[in-house]
Amino acid sequence: MANCMVFHTQIASIMEVLANAAVAEICKLVDDDYAVFRLEITQSQKENRALRRKLQQLELNVARERAERTTRERVLSSRPSSVKILDRYRGMARGEGHLTGGHRSFVKPAGHNTWRDDQPITVDEGSGTSNQHVIMIESVDAEAAGPRVKQERSEREEDPRHSREIQTGAPHVATEVPTTTAPGPPSTRRSITEVSGPPNAFLKSETDTETLTVTHRLLHTGSDHRSDPERLGRGRLGCPSAPGSEYLPIFHQTQRTVNSPGDGDTLDTGGDDLSCSYTTEMDPVNMPLGLETQTDLSRGVWNQYSSSVYSEGCLDKKGPVIVVEEVTVNVEDDGPLTLNADKTPLGEGHSQGRDVLDYRESLGTNPNVATQSPLHILRDTVSTSMGPSDSHGHVVFHQVLNSKDQRAKAQGGGATSGSSKEKRFLCMSCNKGFSCLQNVETHQRVHTGVKPFSCTQCHMRFAQAGNLKIHQRVHTGVKPFSCTLCHMRYSHSYSLKRHQRVHTGENSTAAVM
DNA sequence: CTGGGGACGGGGCCC
DNA sequence: CGGGCCCCGTCCCCA
């Protein structure tokens, strides 16, 4: 028994020794690893300190440079804004600026005109209520003896804040200077022309003698104030295509009412008592949606929207796309583009009629509008890459934008690719050409979702008065079109025509063909 | 095959 | 006479 106890005691002591040895071993290993780890940490800390010092040094350098630049700009404050913009642009090229805010179009300084005499500003605002302007920068450098390149800038109504940002060169405002116009010396003369025009439409000049490349730029800033009600209330608010008009390229025109109540009988069909009302309310349901915001500032920062000869392709399985490759506009030598300064629909928003709502009001109460315009679609889905300038200084922009309307794509493609002379008016959203401005304005409701004509009985809305009138037949039961063979009656004329194919045996598909 | 909405082109009127 | 605007006719598409 005693032996057994001694044996157990010895075993216990041995176990204890072994355990202690194991613990010591573990501790030793831990200590070793810890030492190594500490060493690594120390080295990392040293590296961090060195990098921090470098960073501080760089920040100091940047601050110093910025201060110098500010001083220089003050000294050159009498220089034209565009030149200052050029300076800033160059500064950005040097890495002094920031592109965090994307790009903006520069605007004529509000309140005071800093343009020099050799920078004529031609403002053609038609009704004087223009909220959009077109700025065409024409380089008249001697070196520009060749085909000149005009750069148009879309512009909103003069926004003091906007101007101030530009003038002060706020870091977040990166004003891009057209790359096609090599930043010339300060002596570069530029004529800037503001042209009033219809939204999203521009006129293709036919009498021009010199080919120019017009680049339409959809300028926007990533952290912009797009949703700012104030901004929405100004400028393009009154225009259907407006919400995105800030990104509109060029040829903005003054606004007008869709159907001025002064016109009065917009829906008056001469006794046809249409129980309809005229509103300018946006139909959120029909508003273009699904904007996958691709404001990739790192890629393009700003999107150029160019148009003219373009090809179409399906780069996106999900939907049709339009590849806009280049804009070619013929312009006379000595003059700015001759633009058709017309009033745009849904502009001033007359409220003379009971059923007439102020469009801007509607927009103001519908903040979604600002983000649902097709132009936003354009902005947000456009994948832009800028090609190199050709030998003539033309810049070719390539764009791929998703088109919401496949039909518009098909039709628009034909319209523009053919470059029909008759279709002088182009929709800036889909590049479709139209023969007259009114058609463009109507067409643009496709993009804007504006449906000014509403039925009072079912509150359906229509973009065209004629469609509303036809729609009214649903309520009235009027079927003016009757078949002479079977006395079937139809409310649509085409329904009758389609129906008569049954009698004639004409194949519907063949009829289509 | 029908009903109905969306969209475009063009004629006619007015200024 | 030309441009702008309104309206209508027409076609396409979808349910």
Side-chain angles (χ1 to χ4, degrees):
Chain A
M1 193 62 183
N3 287 338
C4 186
M5 289 290 291
V6 169
F7 181 70
H8 275 284
T9 303
Q10 288 176 347
I11 285 179
S13 61
I14 289 172
M15 289 283 285
E16 188 176 347
V17 169
L18 286 176
N20 289 337
V23 168
E25 188 77 13
I26 290 171
C27 286
K28 184 171 180 296
L29 287 174
V30 169
D31 286 343
D32 290 346
D33 289 345
Y34 179 70
V36 173
F37 186 61
R38 254 195 101 101
L39 189 61
E40 289 179 355
I41 286 178
T42 304
Q43 289 176 349
S44 295
Q45 285 176 344
K46 284 180 182 176
E47 290 177 359
N48 281 342
R49 277 194 291 271
L51 289 174
R52 208 172 296 149
R53 275 195 295 270
K54 268 188 179 179
L55 181 63
Q56 288 174 351
Q57 190 97 14
L58 286 174
E59 285 177 348
L60 280 175
N61 290 338
V62 169
R64 204 176 306 140
E65 252 186 89
R66 198 170 293 167
E68 290 175 1
R69 185 158 49 92
T70 304
T71 305
R72 199 165 57 241
E73 285 190 2
R74 283 177 185 165
V75 170
L76 301 175
S77 60
S78 61
R79 292 168 60 186
S81 300
S82 58
V83 177
K84 284 191 283 189
I85 291 166
L86 287 172
D87 285 341
R88 277 196 297 280
Y89 181 63
R90 286 195 289 267
M92 286 192 305
R94 293 193 304 266
E96 298 175 1
H98 301 275
L99 297 177
T100 56
H103 292 248
R104 281 178 176 271
S105 59
F106 66 82
V107 297
K108 180 178 64 180
H112 61 284
N113 191 352
T114 61
W115 302 103
R116 297 190 307 195
D117 291 340
D118 57 350
Q119 294 176 313
I121 297 174
T122 304
V123 179
D124 181 5
E125 292 185 348
S127 62
T129 60
S130 171
N131 287 328
Q132 292 185 351
H133 309 287
V134 174
I135 292 184
M136 290 183 295
I137 304 174
E138 179 183 6
S139 173
V140 290
D141 283 346
E143 63 184 11
R148 288 196 293 264
V149 176
K150 283 189 179 181
Q151 301 290 339
E152 286 82 3
R153 289 323 204 59
S154 65
E155 178 187 6
R156 291 187 66 94
E157 192 175 12
E158 293 180 4
D159 186 341
R161 174 178 49 185
H162 192 168
S163 301
R164 185 173 64 250
E165 288 173 348
I166 287 182
Q167 284 191 319
T168 57
H172 68 285
V173 176
T175 303
E176 188 77 21
V177 166
T179 55
T180 55
T181 325
S187 62
T188 298
R189 288 182 57 224
R190 300 187 185 282
S191 67
I192 296 186
T193 304
E194 295 187 2
V195 182
S196 304
N200 304 338
F202 67 84
L203 170 66
K204 287 192 293 187
S205 175
E206 297 177 353
T207 60
D208 305 323
T209 58
E210 185 170 322
T211 299
L212 299 177
T213 297
V214 178
T215 59
H216 304 152
R217 299 172 183 247
L218 298 176
L219 304 172
H220 71 91
T221 59
S223 58
D224 207 352
H225 324 286
R226 298 302 165 205
S227 58
D228 188 342
E230 180 187 357
R231 291 176 68 86
L232 292 176
R234 302 168 61 121
R236 297 292 308 153
L237 236 195
C239 184
S241 51
S245 66
E246 285 188 349
Y247 318 109
L248 280 184
I250 63 171
F251 301 110
H252 300 168
Q253 300 181 6
T254 48
Q255 303 173 357
R256 70 165 177 86
T257 56
V258 170
N259 277 301
S260 173
D263 300 330
D265 53 351
T266 298
L267 296 176
D268 182 10
T269 56
D272 188 3
D273 185 16
L274 291 178
S275 56
C276 61
S277 65
Y278 171 85
T279 66
T280 57
E281 187 174 347
M282 305 283 288
D283 188 354
V285 177
N286 294 306
M287 288 300 296
L289 293 172
L291 308 181
E292 44 173 317
T293 304
Q294 292 182 352
T295 51
D296 188 346
L297 298 177
S298 63
R299 180 182 61 226
V301 180
W302 49 273
N303 294 322
Q304 305 91 2
Y305 179 40
S306 61
S307 61
S308 89
V309 184
Y310 70 91
S311 59
E312 295 179 354
C314 265
L315 301 183
D316 185 350
K317 290 180 181 179
K318 296 177 182 176
V321 298
I322 297 175
V323 180
V324 183
E325 289 183 328
E326 183 178 0
V327 174
T328 302
V329 177
N330 294 326
V331 180
E332 290 182 355
D333 272 347
D334 292 333
L337 283 171
T338 302
L339 300 176
N340 191 340
D342 190 24
K343 294 174 287 184
T344 65
L346 300 177
E348 299 172 6
H350 293 191
S351 57
Q352 301 170 4
R354 181 186 53 194
D355 293 327
V356 177
L357 302 178
D358 188 315
Y359 180 73
R360 288 169 294 188
E361 208 171 300
S362 299
L363 288 180
T365 59
N366 187 4
N368 291 333
V369 170
T371 58
Q372 292 175 347
S373 83
L375 292 167
H376 278 75
I377 288 179
L378 188 67
R379 175 199 65 176
D380 290 336
T381 60
V382 160
S383 165
T384 305
S385 64
M386 183 166 61
S389 302
D390 62 15
S391 58
H392 298 293
H394 296 170
V395 172
V396 181
F397 292 101
H398 299 274
Q399 275 190 341
V400 178
L401 58 96
N402 292 326
S403 174
K404 159 197 155 206
D405 190 350
Q406 184 173 5
R407 176 176 167 151
K409 167 211 164 197
Q411 294 177 348
T416 52
S417 61
S419 65
S420 171
K421 285 185 178 179
E422 297 301 323
K423 298 182 177 181
R424 303 177 301 155
F425 302 93
L426 294 184
C427 172
M428 298 305 295
S429 297
C430 66
N431 218 36
K432 179 173 165 48
F434 294 88
S435 57
C436 56
L437 186 62
Q438 182 67 26
N439 290 342
V440 187
E441 295 173 354
T442 302
H443 158 78
Q444 285 178 341
R445 293 174 191 158
V446 174
H447 305 299
T448 62
V450 173
K451 295 185 175 182
F453 309 98
S454 69
C455 176
T456 56
Q457 296 190 22
C458 67
H459 301 293
M460 279 198 66
R461 291 191 177 87
F462 300 88
Q464 298 183 22
N467 290 340
L468 171 63
K469 184 180 178 180
I470 294 173
H471 161 76
Q472 292 294 325
R473 296 171 187 162
V474 175
H475 302 300
T476 61
V478 173
K479 294 184 177 181
F481 308 98
S482 61
C483 178
T484 56
L485 298 176
C486 68
H487 303 293
M488 281 279 289
R489 301 185 69 87
Y490 300 91
S491 59
H492 284 65
S493 62
Y494 189 75
S495 295
L496 172 62
K497 184 176 181 178
R498 186 177 53 188
H499 160 75
Q500 287 179 334
R501 293 173 188 162
V502 177
H503 299 303
T504 60
E506 189 179 0
N507 190 344
S508 61
T509 56
V512 172
M513 298 297 287

